[in-house]
Short mmCIF file of all heavy atoms in Angstrom, two decimals:
data_model
loop_
_atom_site.label_atom_id
_atom_site.label_comp_id
_atom_site.label_asym_id
_atom_site.label_seq_id
_atom_site.Cartn_x
_atom_site.Cartn_y
_atom_site.Cartn_z
N TYR W 1 0.82 103.25 -59.24
CA TYR W 1 -0.44 103.90 -59.61
C TYR W 1 -0.86 104.96 -58.59
O TYR W 1 -1.83 105.68 -58.81
CB TYR W 1 -1.55 102.86 -59.77
CG TYR W 1 -1.35 102.00 -60.99
CD1 TYR W 1 -0.62 100.82 -60.91
CD2 TYR W 1 -1.85 102.39 -62.22
CE1 TYR W 1 -0.41 100.04 -62.04
CE2 TYR W 1 -1.64 101.62 -63.34
CZ TYR W 1 -0.91 100.45 -63.25
OH TYR W 1 -0.70 99.69 -64.38
N PHE W 2 -0.13 105.07 -57.51
CA PHE W 2 -0.51 105.95 -56.42
C PHE W 2 0.64 106.87 -56.04
O PHE W 2 1.81 106.52 -56.19
CB PHE W 2 -0.91 105.12 -55.19
CG PHE W 2 -2.08 104.22 -55.46
CD1 PHE W 2 -1.88 102.91 -55.88
CD2 PHE W 2 -3.38 104.68 -55.32
CE1 PHE W 2 -2.96 102.08 -56.16
CE2 PHE W 2 -4.46 103.87 -55.59
CZ PHE W 2 -4.26 102.56 -56.02
N ILE W 3 0.29 108.06 -55.54
CA ILE W 3 1.30 108.99 -55.01
C ILE W 3 2.04 108.29 -53.87
O ILE W 3 3.25 108.35 -53.77
CB ILE W 3 0.63 110.28 -54.47
CG1 ILE W 3 -0.13 110.99 -55.56
CG2 ILE W 3 1.63 111.17 -53.75
CD1 ILE W 3 0.59 112.05 -56.31
N LYS W 4 1.26 107.64 -52.99
CA LYS W 4 1.85 106.92 -51.89
C LYS W 4 0.91 105.80 -51.49
O LYS W 4 -0.31 105.95 -51.53
CB LYS W 4 2.09 107.85 -50.69
CG LYS W 4 2.85 107.18 -49.56
CD LYS W 4 3.33 108.17 -48.53
CE LYS W 4 4.12 107.43 -47.46
NZ LYS W 4 4.56 108.32 -46.41
N ALA W 5 1.49 104.68 -51.10
CA ALA W 5 0.71 103.54 -50.61
C ALA W 5 0.97 103.38 -49.12
O ALA W 5 2.12 103.42 -48.67
CB ALA W 5 1.10 102.26 -51.35
N TYR W 6 -0.12 103.22 -48.38
CA TYR W 6 -0.05 102.98 -46.94
C TYR W 6 -0.52 101.57 -46.67
O TYR W 6 -1.68 101.24 -46.94
CB TYR W 6 -0.95 103.97 -46.19
CG TYR W 6 -0.46 105.40 -46.26
CD1 TYR W 6 -0.71 106.18 -47.38
CD2 TYR W 6 0.26 105.96 -45.22
CE1 TYR W 6 -0.26 107.48 -47.47
CE2 TYR W 6 0.72 107.27 -45.30
CZ TYR W 6 0.45 108.02 -46.42
OH TYR W 6 0.90 109.31 -46.49
N PHE W 7 0.37 100.74 -46.15
CA PHE W 7 0.03 99.36 -45.83
C PHE W 7 -0.01 99.21 -44.32
O PHE W 7 0.91 99.66 -43.61
CB PHE W 7 1.05 98.39 -46.44
CG PHE W 7 1.09 98.46 -47.94
CD1 PHE W 7 2.18 98.97 -48.60
CD2 PHE W 7 0.00 98.01 -48.69
CE1 PHE W 7 2.23 99.02 -49.99
CE2 PHE W 7 0.03 98.06 -50.08
CZ PHE W 7 1.14 98.57 -50.73
N SER W 8 -1.05 98.57 -43.84
CA SER W 8 -1.24 98.43 -42.40
C SER W 8 -0.03 97.77 -41.72
O SER W 8 0.33 98.15 -40.61
CB SER W 8 -2.52 97.67 -42.10
OG SER W 8 -2.50 96.40 -42.72
N PHE W 9 0.61 96.84 -42.41
CA PHE W 9 1.75 96.18 -41.80
C PHE W 9 2.96 97.10 -41.68
O PHE W 9 3.85 96.86 -40.87
CB PHE W 9 2.13 94.89 -42.56
CG PHE W 9 2.47 95.08 -44.01
CD1 PHE W 9 3.76 95.42 -44.41
CD2 PHE W 9 1.51 94.90 -44.99
CE1 PHE W 9 4.08 95.57 -45.75
CE2 PHE W 9 1.82 95.04 -46.34
CZ PHE W 9 3.11 95.39 -46.72
N ASP W 10 3.00 98.19 -42.45
CA ASP W 10 4.08 99.16 -42.34
C ASP W 10 3.81 100.21 -41.26
O ASP W 10 4.73 100.70 -40.62
CB ASP W 10 4.30 99.89 -43.67
CG ASP W 10 5.05 99.07 -44.69
OD1 ASP W 10 5.85 98.21 -44.30
OD2 ASP W 10 4.82 99.29 -45.90
N VAL W 11 2.54 100.59 -41.13
CA VAL W 11 2.19 101.69 -40.21
C VAL W 11 1.63 101.18 -38.88
O VAL W 11 1.30 101.99 -38.00
CB VAL W 11 1.23 102.68 -40.87
CG1 VAL W 11 1.87 103.33 -42.09
CG2 VAL W 11 -0.09 102.02 -41.23
N ASN W 12 1.49 99.87 -38.73
CA ASN W 12 0.98 99.27 -37.50
C ASN W 12 -0.40 99.77 -37.10
O ASN W 12 -0.68 99.98 -35.92
CB ASN W 12 1.98 99.44 -36.35
CG ASN W 12 3.28 98.73 -36.62
OD1 ASN W 12 3.29 97.58 -37.04
ND2 ASN W 12 4.38 99.42 -36.40
N MET W 13 -1.23 100.00 -38.11
CA MET W 13 -2.63 100.38 -37.91
C MET W 13 -3.45 99.71 -39.00
O MET W 13 -2.91 99.37 -40.05
CB MET W 13 -2.81 101.90 -38.02
CG MET W 13 -2.17 102.69 -36.91
SD MET W 13 -2.46 104.46 -37.12
CE MET W 13 -0.99 104.92 -38.04
N THR W 14 -4.72 99.54 -38.75
CA THR W 14 -5.61 98.99 -39.77
C THR W 14 -6.85 99.85 -39.88
O THR W 14 -7.27 100.51 -38.91
CB THR W 14 -6.03 97.54 -39.43
OG1 THR W 14 -6.67 97.53 -38.16
CG2 THR W 14 -4.85 96.59 -39.44
N LYS W 15 -7.43 99.86 -41.08
CA LYS W 15 -8.75 100.46 -41.24
C LYS W 15 -9.72 99.59 -40.46
O LYS W 15 -9.53 98.37 -40.44
CB LYS W 15 -9.16 100.50 -42.72
CG LYS W 15 -8.28 101.33 -43.61
CD LYS W 15 -8.72 101.26 -45.07
CE LYS W 15 -8.38 99.91 -45.66
NZ LYS W 15 -8.74 99.77 -47.08
N PRO W 16 -10.67 100.10 -39.80
CA PRO W 16 -11.20 101.46 -39.80
C PRO W 16 -10.68 102.37 -38.69
O PRO W 16 -11.32 103.36 -38.36
CB PRO W 16 -12.70 101.23 -39.63
CG PRO W 16 -12.81 100.02 -38.78
CD PRO W 16 -11.63 99.16 -39.17
N ASP W 17 -9.53 102.09 -38.11
CA ASP W 17 -8.97 102.93 -37.05
C ASP W 17 -8.83 104.37 -37.53
O ASP W 17 -8.11 104.63 -38.52
CB ASP W 17 -7.61 102.37 -36.64
CG ASP W 17 -6.96 103.12 -35.49
OD1 ASP W 17 -7.43 104.21 -35.12
OD2 ASP W 17 -5.96 102.61 -34.96
N PRO W 18 -9.50 105.31 -36.88
CA PRO W 18 -9.39 106.72 -37.31
C PRO W 18 -7.95 107.23 -37.36
O PRO W 18 -7.63 108.10 -38.17
CB PRO W 18 -10.21 107.48 -36.26
CG PRO W 18 -11.18 106.47 -35.74
CD PRO W 18 -10.43 105.15 -35.77
N ALA W 19 -7.07 106.67 -36.52
CA ALA W 19 -5.67 107.10 -36.53
C ALA W 19 -5.00 106.79 -37.87
O ALA W 19 -4.13 107.54 -38.32
CB ALA W 19 -4.90 106.43 -35.39
N TYR W 20 -5.42 105.73 -38.51
CA TYR W 20 -4.88 105.36 -39.83
C TYR W 20 -5.28 106.44 -40.86
O TYR W 20 -4.45 106.91 -41.64
CB TYR W 20 -5.42 103.99 -40.21
CG TYR W 20 -4.74 103.27 -41.36
CD1 TYR W 20 -3.62 103.75 -42.02
CD2 TYR W 20 -5.25 102.05 -41.79
CE1 TYR W 20 -3.04 103.05 -43.06
CE2 TYR W 20 -4.68 101.35 -42.83
CZ TYR W 20 -3.57 101.85 -43.46
OH TYR W 20 -2.99 101.15 -44.50
N PHE W 21 -6.53 106.86 -40.80
CA PHE W 21 -7.00 107.91 -41.70
C PHE W 21 -6.29 109.23 -41.39
O PHE W 21 -5.92 109.98 -42.30
CB PHE W 21 -8.51 108.09 -41.57
CG PHE W 21 -9.31 106.96 -42.14
CD1 PHE W 21 -9.66 105.87 -41.36
CD2 PHE W 21 -9.73 106.99 -43.47
CE1 PHE W 21 -10.40 104.83 -41.89
CE2 PHE W 21 -10.47 105.94 -44.00
CZ PHE W 21 -10.80 104.86 -43.20
N GLN W 22 -6.10 109.52 -40.10
CA GLN W 22 -5.43 110.76 -39.71
C GLN W 22 -3.99 110.79 -40.22
O GLN W 22 -3.49 111.84 -40.63
CB GLN W 22 -5.44 110.93 -38.18
CG GLN W 22 -6.80 111.23 -37.60
CD GLN W 22 -7.38 112.56 -38.06
OE1 GLN W 22 -6.68 113.44 -38.56
NE2 GLN W 22 -8.68 112.71 -37.90
N LEU W 23 -3.34 109.65 -40.24
CA LEU W 23 -1.98 109.56 -40.80
C LEU W 23 -1.98 109.99 -42.26
O LEU W 23 -1.16 110.80 -42.68
CB LEU W 23 -1.44 108.14 -40.66
CG LEU W 23 -0.09 107.86 -41.33
CD1 LEU W 23 1.03 108.65 -40.65
CD2 LEU W 23 0.21 106.38 -41.32
N LEU W 24 -2.92 109.46 -43.02
CA LEU W 24 -3.04 109.82 -44.45
C LEU W 24 -3.32 111.31 -44.61
O LEU W 24 -2.70 111.98 -45.43
CB LEU W 24 -4.15 108.99 -45.09
CG LEU W 24 -4.43 109.26 -46.56
CD1 LEU W 24 -3.35 108.63 -47.42
CD2 LEU W 24 -5.79 108.75 -46.95
N ILE W 25 -4.24 111.82 -43.81
CA ILE W 25 -4.62 113.23 -43.87
C ILE W 25 -3.42 114.12 -43.57
O ILE W 25 -3.11 115.05 -44.33
CB ILE W 25 -5.78 113.53 -42.89
CG1 ILE W 25 -7.06 112.82 -43.34
CG2 ILE W 25 -6.00 115.03 -42.77
CD1 ILE W 25 -8.15 112.76 -42.26
N GLN W 26 -2.73 113.84 -42.47
CA GLN W 26 -1.63 114.68 -42.04
C GLN W 26 -0.42 114.58 -42.96
O GLN W 26 0.19 115.59 -43.31
CB GLN W 26 -1.24 114.35 -40.60
CG GLN W 26 -2.31 114.77 -39.61
CD GLN W 26 -2.10 114.22 -38.22
OE1 GLN W 26 -1.16 113.49 -37.96
NE2 GLN W 26 -3.00 114.57 -37.30
N ASP W 27 -0.08 113.36 -43.37
CA ASP W 27 1.08 113.17 -44.25
C ASP W 27 0.94 113.93 -45.57
O ASP W 27 1.93 114.35 -46.15
CB ASP W 27 1.27 111.69 -44.60
CG ASP W 27 2.15 110.95 -43.61
OD1 ASP W 27 2.54 111.54 -42.59
OD2 ASP W 27 2.45 109.78 -43.88
N ASN W 28 -0.30 114.05 -46.04
CA ASN W 28 -0.52 114.60 -47.37
C ASN W 28 -1.30 115.90 -47.37
O ASN W 28 -1.70 116.39 -48.43
CB ASN W 28 -1.23 113.54 -48.22
CG ASN W 28 -0.41 112.28 -48.30
OD1 ASN W 28 0.61 112.24 -48.97
ND2 ASN W 28 -0.81 111.25 -47.56
N GLU W 29 -1.50 116.45 -46.16
CA GLU W 29 -2.23 117.72 -46.01
C GLU W 29 -3.54 117.69 -46.79
O GLU W 29 -3.86 118.60 -47.55
CB GLU W 29 -1.34 118.89 -46.43
CG GLU W 29 -0.08 118.99 -45.59
CD GLU W 29 0.85 120.11 -46.02
OE1 GLU W 29 0.56 120.82 -47.01
OE2 GLU W 29 1.89 120.26 -45.36
N LEU W 30 -4.29 116.62 -46.60
CA LEU W 30 -5.56 116.45 -47.31
C LEU W 30 -6.67 117.25 -46.67
O LEU W 30 -6.75 117.35 -45.45
CB LEU W 30 -5.97 114.98 -47.34
CG LEU W 30 -5.05 114.00 -48.06
CD1 LEU W 30 -5.62 112.59 -47.98
CD2 LEU W 30 -4.84 114.41 -49.50
N ASN W 31 -7.54 117.77 -47.50
CA ASN W 31 -8.78 118.38 -47.05
C ASN W 31 -9.86 117.31 -47.24
O ASN W 31 -10.20 116.99 -48.39
CB ASN W 31 -9.08 119.63 -47.87
CG ASN W 31 -10.41 120.26 -47.50
OD1 ASN W 31 -11.20 119.72 -46.72
ND2 ASN W 31 -10.67 121.43 -48.06
N VAL W 32 -10.36 116.76 -46.17
CA VAL W 32 -11.32 115.66 -46.29
C VAL W 32 -12.58 116.07 -47.03
O VAL W 32 -13.25 115.24 -47.64
CB VAL W 32 -11.68 115.03 -44.92
CG1 VAL W 32 -10.47 114.36 -44.32
CG2 VAL W 32 -12.28 116.05 -43.98
N LYS W 33 -12.91 117.35 -47.00
CA LYS W 33 -14.11 117.83 -47.69
C LYS W 33 -13.98 117.75 -49.21
O LYS W 33 -14.97 117.76 -49.92
CB LYS W 33 -14.45 119.25 -47.25
CG LYS W 33 -14.65 119.37 -45.75
CD LYS W 33 -15.92 120.07 -45.42
CE LYS W 33 -16.14 120.21 -43.94
NZ LYS W 33 -16.61 119.04 -43.28
N THR W 34 -12.73 117.65 -49.69
CA THR W 34 -12.50 117.53 -51.13
C THR W 34 -11.82 116.22 -51.48
O THR W 34 -11.20 116.09 -52.53
CB THR W 34 -11.66 118.71 -51.66
OG1 THR W 34 -10.40 118.70 -50.98
CG2 THR W 34 -12.37 120.03 -51.46
#
């Protein structure tokens, strides 16, 4: 159902760690404003 799934056990980070969000942003070139 998703383009990509990020699981904390795979990326060794958990929400709410900002680094976890940054991984999503950078991997997918997301514009957080949209």
Side-chain angles (χ1 to χ4, degrees):
Y1 290 90
F2 299 92
I3 300 267
K4 187 168 182 182
Y6 292 80
F7 298 111
S8 57
F9 59 86
D10 283 331
V11 298
N12 297 314
M13 292 181 268
T14 57
K15 297 178 288 182
D17 183 348
Y20 195 4
F21 289 89
Q22 290 296 343
L23 174 66
L24 179 76
I25 293 166
Q26 291 168 359
D27 271 6
N28 302 287
E29 299 177 359
L30 298 180
N31 177 352
V32 294
K33 302 230 180 282
T34 60

